[in-house]
């Protein structure tokens, strides 16, 4: 029998934060080698395989019944899973999942955008750190900007509820490109999100060289007449900017800013079934033993609620702490 649908307060932590958003990694594998994430490309590690379709279905059923109504499929590159279409269909069919999203590097997106939309995917974030083809090539190891941009157009044509572009802010690399991004969203209903580079276990030197505070972009936006929207209740930590002459929006994600964690609304599960209470928590908590049959769903829910009690008030990144996360591809950014 399916578990009863829970209320939002079922997932409230000790600091009064409600958790409605699950970021679920389905693979660590990636075909790109972004310089801040997998500069040497993906290297296979020993260990158990990635979550199966049945494990994914049980996991989503348990979390959705606790009130987690938004799920983002991430990775690695999630679309490299051969059963990616099935994952979309299974997650979308879970009772209580209202918004199903993914984050992708845009590989083969032009061919897949409509198929994924038809299968039930509501929202898509595409990572494009530069709109300059040679910088994009340098950053990702792939000369595919034109292809990825065709994929973005295909998403707009496919009728997604939300199309966003993620760009990691990199000092001296793409911080001069604001004009290009603004031109791009002048008449397209796209939100470009600049994400501050985060320090992980593997990128300390890179971080020192390239990290740039998002306030550099907000200063430029304000000078150009962009206005920060007030945050809606339950919205995540992005600051959103709008401008009357632009169809699109700009979002800033500034994890090093004061109070970033007070609006945290998300939990993460790795591709091997570990619960991460924070992107930078010390260790994932294994839940795989509770994903083996449908009758374990109530036990899994109790386990998740109990684990939430250990969620800390902040990530302590500003104190140089980056937990056990070596790179974001390991648990899904
Ligand atoms: N492969 C997919 C992609 O790139 O969109 C999904 C996984 S990727 C880990 C998710 C997001 O995390 C991407 O937007 C990526 O740019 C971002 N990311 C990866 N490493 C990061 C870091 N150290 N700091 C900030 N963002 C990072
Ligand atoms: Fe792959 Fe995404 Fe990491 Fe780039 S950011 S290497 S596309 S997982």
């Amino acid at each position: 029998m399916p578990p009863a649908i829970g209320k939002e307060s079922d997932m409230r932590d000790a600091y009064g934060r409600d958790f409605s958003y699950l970021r679920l990694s389905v693979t660590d594998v990636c075909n790109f080698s972004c310089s801040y994430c997998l500069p040497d490309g993906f290297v296979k590690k020993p260990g158990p395989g990635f979550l199966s379709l049945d494990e994914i279905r049980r996991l989503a059923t348990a979390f959705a019944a606790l009130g987690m109504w938004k799920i983002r499929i991430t990775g690695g590159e999630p679309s490299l899973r051969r059963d990616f279409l099935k994952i979309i269909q299974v997650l979308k069919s879970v009772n209580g999942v209202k918004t199903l999203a993914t984050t992708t590097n845009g590989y083969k997106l032009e061919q897949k955008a409509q198929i994924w939309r038809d299968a039930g995917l509501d929202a898509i974030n595409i990572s494009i750190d530069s709109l300059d083809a040679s910088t994009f090539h340098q950053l990702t190891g792939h000369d595919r900007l034109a292809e990825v941009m065709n994929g973005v157009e295909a998403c707009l044509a496919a009728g997604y509820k939300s199309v966003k572009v993620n760009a990691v802010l990199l000092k001296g690399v793409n911080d001069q490109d604001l004009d290009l991004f603004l031109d791009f969203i002048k008449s397209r209903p796209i939100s470009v999100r600049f994400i501050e580079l985060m320090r992980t276990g593997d990128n300390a030197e890179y971080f020192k060289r390239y990290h740039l505070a998002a306030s550099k972009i907000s200063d430029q936006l304000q000078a150009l007449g962009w206005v920060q929207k007030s945050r809606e209740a339950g919205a995540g930590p992005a600051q959103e900017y709008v401008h009357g002459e632009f169809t699109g929006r700009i979002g800033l994600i500034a994890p090093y800013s004061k109070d970033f964690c007070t609006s945290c609304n998300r939990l993460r599960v790795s591709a091997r079934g570990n619960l991460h209470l924070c992107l930078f928590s010390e260790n994932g908590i294994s839940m795989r033993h509770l994903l083996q049959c449908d009758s374990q769903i109530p036990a899994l829910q109790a386990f998740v609620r109990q684990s939430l009690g250990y969620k800390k008030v902040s990530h302590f990144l500003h104190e140089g702490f980056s937990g056990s996360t070596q790179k974001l591809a390991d648990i899904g950014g």
Side-chain angles (χ1 to χ4, degrees), residues 152-192:
V152 176
E153 299 298 348
C155 290
L156 292 176
Y160 280 88
K161 292 183 191 158
S162 156
V163 179
K164 292 178 183 163
V165 164
N166 288 356
V168 177
L169 253 184
L170 299 169
K171 185 161 58 187
V173 178
N174 62 6
D175 51 330
Q176 306 304 321
D177 286 356
L178 183 60
D179 286 354
L180 292 179
F181 282 105
L182 293 183
D183 281 352
F184 175 59
I185 59 165
K186 179 93 186 170
S187 51
R188 288 181 179 87
I190 289 179
S191 175
V192 169

Side-chain angles (χ1 to χ4, degrees), residues 18-129:
D18 280 314
F19 294 84
S20 54
Y21 180 14
L22 173 65
R23 296 175 72 107
L24 173 62
S25 178
V26 294
T27 182
D28 294 352
V29 180
C30 189
N31 52 342
F32 278 26
S33 42
C34 298
S35 52
Y36 48 80
C37 182
L38 289 172
D40 304 319
F42 169 73
V43 180
K44 195 168 188 253
K45 279 190 284 192
F50 303 128
L51 293 173
S52 69
L53 264 184
D54 271 337
E55 289 172 319
I56 289 173
R57 176 181 53 75
R58 288 179 196 123
L59 184 103
T61 304
F63 277 77
L66 287 169
M68 310 244 339
W69 53 266
K70 176 171 177 181
I71 298 184
R72 177 173 302 279
I73 316 167
T74 181
E77 175 48 39
S79 65
L80 292 182
R81 280 261 316 223
R82 277 199 218 115
D83 55 358
F84 186 61
L85 193 62
K86 277 244 152 33
I87 292 176
I88 294 174
Q89 288 163 340
V90 161
L91 288 175
K92 191 60 182 192
S93 69
V94 167
N95 199 11
V97 174
K98 293 190 203 148
T99 302
L100 183 63
T102 196
T103 302
T104 174
N105 61 23
Y107 178 70
K108 298 237 164 113
L109 185 56
E110 190 178 1
Q111 294 92 313
K112 303 289 187 183
Q114 188 69 59
I115 298 170
W116 296 345
R117 177 73 185 115
D118 293 344
L121 193 66
D122 299 299
I124 191 154
N125 286 18
I126 306 121
S127 298
I128 307 176
D129 297 325

Side-chain angles (χ1 to χ4, degrees), residues 124-154:
I124 191 154
N125 286 18
I126 306 121
S127 298
I128 307 176
D129 297 325
S130 174
L131 293 177
D132 174 82
S134 87
T135 310
F136 181 92
H137 187 176
Q138 264 173 11
L139 284 173
T140 60
H142 285 261
D143 189 9
R144 290 179 186 262
L145 178 65
E147 224 175 283
V148 175
M149 295 305 276
N150 288 343
V152 176
E153 299 298 348

